[in-house]
Amino acid sequence: MKTETFAGQKGVEEEGLARQVLDQESLRQEKSEGFSEMEKGVLQEVMNIAFGRAAADLAKVIDIFVVLSIPEIKLMRGKDLFDYLIKEGKVSIPFHTIEQSFSGRISGHAVLVLPFESGEKLSSLFEQEEDIFEEEMQQTNEDILLEIGNILTGACVGKFVELLKDLVTYSPPRINTERLSDGEVVRKLVHPESRVISITTQFSFKEQNIDGFLFLVTDQESFLWLKKALNNFMESF
Amino acid sequence: MNFSSILDVIDSGVVVLDRDCQVRYWNFWMASHSKIQGDDIIGHSLFEHFPKTKNKRFMRNFKSVFAFGHLSFFAQKNHAPLFPMKAVGSFISDFDLMQQSCTMGPLRDEGEIKYIFISVRDVSETIFLERCVAERSKIAEQRAVELVRSNEELTQFAAIASHDLKEPLRKIITFGKILTEDYRKVLGEEGCDALTRMASSTQRMQQLIDDLLSLSKISTHPRSFVPTALDRVLSDVLDTIEVLRRKTNGKIEVSSLPTIDADPTQMYQLFQNLIGNGLKYHRKEAPPLVRIIARENNNGSTQISVEDNGIGFDEKYFERILKPFQRLHGRGEFDGTGMGLAICDKIIHRHHGSLSAKSLVGTGSTFTLTLPVHQPVNP
C-alpha cells in the first residue's frame, strides 16, 4: 500500500504558517501524487484551521463540546483505503457509520465512525424539551446519530470549503449499522483505482466520553480544483 | 422574465427565515396548505404560528446552518412534521397531518449567510407506501417463521410416525408367518392365498415406511459436510448394487469423480438411487447400460451425469416424479415405492445443488446433478 503522510503543524498561527510554507516552496518544487510539497503543507494547514474553527463554533453556537484532533491527510488509491483504516486502528470493532456525500467543485464523501453504544450516550447531549414538542422526544438513537453526523460533517466540510472560498451542497446523511470492517462501506464509496485524499480526524465529545473518527474522501476529479484553490489561498497572504 | 415566480408554482413549500426566525418569504404552496397567507406571517416570528416548531432540535440545526452553511434534513420518518398541516389527497384517512420531508439550508448575500430557507415536500404517499411495505414484510417474515416451524413439525411427525408404525407392522409380519407355517391346514388354500397377499402388502408397507424414514432423516439427522471423495462413495455403491447389476445383466461405466464438501452417507444414498433406477427401469430388449460422467464447472461447482439406456419418460412428468410416492409405472411393471427420486432431490437441495433430467421414452434418461465443490460457510 502506498500512502503519503502530510506533516501536521500544530499550534502555529495560520498566517505565519502559510508564509513558512511559501518559503519552503521556494526551496522545493518537487511534486508527487499530483501535489507539490507546498500544496500538501497548505492543505494540511487549511484543514487544521478549518477543523479548529469547526470545533470552536460547535461549542460556541450549539453547545456541542467536541475535541477534533489534527487531521491526518493521506493520498492513496481507493483500493488501499480500507486496509489503511484497519491498519491505523480506525476501524476494528463494531461501529455505526454515518455517510454523507458533498458535491461542488470539490466532491466526495464524509464518513463518521462511531462506537455502537454512542447513540444512547449522545441522546443526553441532544435532549429535548418535554413541554415543547412531545413527539420529538421519540427520537431514536439512530436519528440522533444522523443529526450529529450531519452537523459534524457540515461543520468540518463547511469550514474547509469556506476557507477555500467555495461552496458545496450535501446529500442527506445515511446510517449504516453493519460492521465497517466488512469493508463494504468503503468499497461502495470509492472506485478501487481512483486516487483519493483521505482526511481523518479523531474526535471526542468531552462530557460523553465518546471517541470516533471522521474521514473525508475526495475523488480525483476534485484534485485539479483543490490544487488551484490551495494556490489561491496561499496568494491571499 | 423574473424567474422567482417559479417559487410560487412549484409543488413544494419554500420558507425563508432571518436570523431572528422571522418569516421573510412564504410561498404560495405554504399559504395554500397551511391556510396562513403570506401577509399574515411575513414579518412575524415563525413560532407565532408554529409554536411547537420552537424546539431544541430545530434551533440547533437553525444555528448550525447559519454557522456552517451546510444543509439540515428533517425526515418525516423520524419526526413529527415541522409545519403541522392537514393531510391532502387520498391519504387523509391514514394521516391526520401531512407527512413532510424538510431541508434547511443557507442563503448567502455577498458570501455572508443572511437567511436560511426551508423547503417542504409532501411525502405522505411515500410514507404510506413505506408503511405498507413494512407491514407486508412483517407479515411475510411471520409466515416464513410459521412455515419453517410447520415444516419442521411435519418432518418430525413423518419421522416419529414412520418409526412407530414399524412396531405393529413387525407384529403383523411375525404373526402372519406363524399362521402360514403352523396353521396352513386349518386355513386351507384360500386362507393361505389371503395370507400370502397380506405378507406381500406388509412387505411393501415396510419398504414405504423405510423410505419415508430415509426421506425424513435427510433433514432430521443431517451430518456435517466434509471433504468427500465421490470415487470412494461410488465404489461402495457399486459393491452394494452388484446383485442387481448381475440380475439385470447390466453394465456400469464410471469416469473419475471429484472430491467435494458433502455428507458421505447421503452421497451414497444419492448414487445408489440414481444408478439403481438406471438398472431397474431398463428395456426388456436391451440390457441396462449406466454411465456416470463428471465435469467441473468454472463457477466452483461440479456436474455429474447419470445416463442410462432404459425405458425413459416424458420430460413433462419430471417435476412430478421428484415428489414422494409419485410413480410413472404400475407396481406390476417395476418394484418400488416412488420415493427414490424424492430422496435424491432432497439430498441435492440440502447440498445447495440442483437436479435436472433429459429423457426420451424408449431411449433412456440422463439425470444431471450440479453440486458445489465447497459448501457456503453461512448458507
Side-chain angles (χ1 to χ4, degrees), chain A residues 129 132-133 143 147 150 167, chain B residues 52 56 60-61 71 79:
Chain A
E129 296 141 313
I132 296 285
F133 207 160
D143 187 30
E147 189 184 347
N150 189 49
L167 297 172
Chain B
K52 287 185 173 179
K56 280 190 174 176
R60 191 164 52 235
N61 282 278
L71 299 180
H79 304 282

Side-chain angles (χ1 to χ4, degrees), chain B residues 227-245:
Chain B
T228 304
L230 294 180
D231 273 335
R232 286 188 64 179
V233 172
L234 197 61
S235 171
D236 291 344
V237 170
L238 295 181
D239 285 346
T240 307
I241 60 171
E242 178 58 15
V243 177
L244 179 63
R245 189 194 66 75

Side-chain angles (χ1 to χ4, degrees), chain A:
Chain A
M1 184 181 74
K2 186 182 179 186
T3 61
E4 198 173 335
T5 311
F6 289 20
Q9 298 169 55
K10 190 180 180 182
V12 183
E13 288 299 319
E14 55 195 82
E15 190 179 335
L17 194 113
R19 287 189 189 286
Q20 188 185 333
V21 171
L22 272 169
D23 291 342
Q24 287 172 353
E25 173 62 7
S26 64
L27 297 170
R28 194 163 45 172
Q29 287 290 331
E30 189 189 3
K31 289 185 177 181
S32 65
E33 291 283 352
F35 281 109
S36 68
E37 290 300 315
M38 178 197 68
E39 287 162 344
K40 287 184 227 167
V42 174
L43 177 59
Q44 178 70 56
E45 187 54 24
V46 168
M47 296 306 300
N48 290 354
I49 298 165
F51 282 29
R53 287 184 182 177
D57 281 0
L58 283 166
K60 192 172 75 184
V61 181
I62 44 178
D63 298 331
I64 296 177
F65 296 94
V66 60
V67 178
L68 294 167
S69 71
I70 290 182
E72 192 177 302
I73 303 172
K74 291 200 185 262
L75 294 171
M76 65 188 80
R77 293 284 166 191
K79 61 187 174 192
D80 296 325
L81 181 61
F82 185 68
D83 286 344
Y84 159 69
L85 293 171
I86 288 286
K87 204 172 280 180
E88 296 295 312
K90 301 192 188 315
V91 283
S92 56
I93 57 168
F95 276 104
H96 285 299
T97 60
I98 300 130
E99 182 236 324
Q100 196 166 9
S101 303
F102 53 92
S103 57
R105 283 184 289 182
I106 181 168
S107 297
H109 307 276
V111 182
L112 199 67
V113 185
L114 281 165
F116 262 8
E117 73 278 9
S118 52
E120 249 169 66
K121 286 186 179 175
L122 286 170
S123 60
S124 61
L125 185 76
F126 279 7
E127 73 180 319
Q128 300 291 330
E129 296 141 313
E130 285 182 11
D131 55 342
I132 296 285
F133 207 160
E134 203 169 320
E135 294 93 319
E136 289 271 292
M137 291 291 291
Q138 306 306 317
Q139 279 194 113
T140 58
N141 291 339
E142 180 181 308
D143 187 30
I144 288 165
L145 290 171
L146 281 172
E147 189 184 347
I148 192 105
N150 189 49
I151 290 178
L152 214 55
T153 300
C156 294
V157 177
K159 289 295 173 191
F160 172 57
V161 293
E162 184 185 283
L163 276 171
L164 297 178
K165 300 199 183 321
D166 208 63
L167 297 172
V168 289
T169 185
Y170 303 84
S171 70
R174 285 192 298 270
I175 192 161
N176 197 328
T177 49
E178 72 184 85
R179 286 178 70 112
L180 187 64
S181 49
D182 291 339
E184 282 305 310
V185 176
V186 175
R187 277 192 280 275
K188 281 175 196 164
L189 290 181
V190 291
H191 188 276
E193 288 309 318
S194 70
R195 202 166 48 176
V196 299
I197 309 173
S198 162
I199 300 161
T200 316
T201 185
Q202 185 175 5
F203 61 86
S204 56
F205 292 93
K206 276 182 185 166
E207 290 164 15
Q208 280 69 30
N209 194 25
I210 298 167
D211 293 323
F213 288 93
L214 171 70
F215 62 90
L216 308 177
V217 186
T218 66
D219 53 29
Q220 53 190 353
E221 282 76 33
S222 303
F223 268 53
L224 278 178
W225 175 83
L226 192 54
K227 277 168 76 76
K228 200 176 164 188
L230 291 171
N231 281 293
N232 290 342
F233 178 80
M234 273 187 316
E235 284 166 12
S236 67
F237 290 99

Side-chain angles (χ1 to χ4, degrees), chain B residues 303-344:
Chain B
Q303 199 170 297
I304 300 166
S305 301
V306 180
E307 185 187 315
D308 67 55
N309 62 340
I311 56 171
F313 62 89
D314 190 330
E315 285 178 12
K316 72 180 178 187
Y317 296 123
F318 177 60
E319 291 297 326
R320 196 174 133 188
I321 58 174
L322 294 182
K323 293 193 171 94
F325 305 119
Q326 294 295 324
R327 291 168 53 87
L328 291 178
H329 309 280
R331 282 197 298 275
E333 291 177 83
F334 298 99
D335 283 343
T337 58
M339 293 290 274
L341 282 177
I343 290 170
C344 290

Side-chain angles (χ1 to χ4, degrees), chain A residues 61, chain B residues 16-24 47 59 62-63 65-68 107 112-116:
Chain A
V61 181
Chain B
V16 175
L17 301 176
D18 62 19
R19 280 185 180 273
D20 300 322
C21 282
Q22 286 207 341
V23 179
R24 302 299 291 260
F47 309 128
M59 294 313 296
F62 180 81
K63 287 176 189 172
V65 171
F66 263 113
F68 307 118
L107 289 176
E112 190 190 342
I113 301 170
K114 294 273 178 67
Y115 306 100
I116 60 119

Side-chain angles (χ1 to χ4, degrees), chain B residues 225 261-263 266-267 347-353 371-372 375:
Chain B
F225 298 125
D261 290 347
D263 176 338
Q266 292 185 352
M267 286 296 108
I347 290 171
I348 290 166
H349 268 92
R350 198 199 146 219
H351 284 75
H352 308 105
L371 291 165
Q375 288 295 325

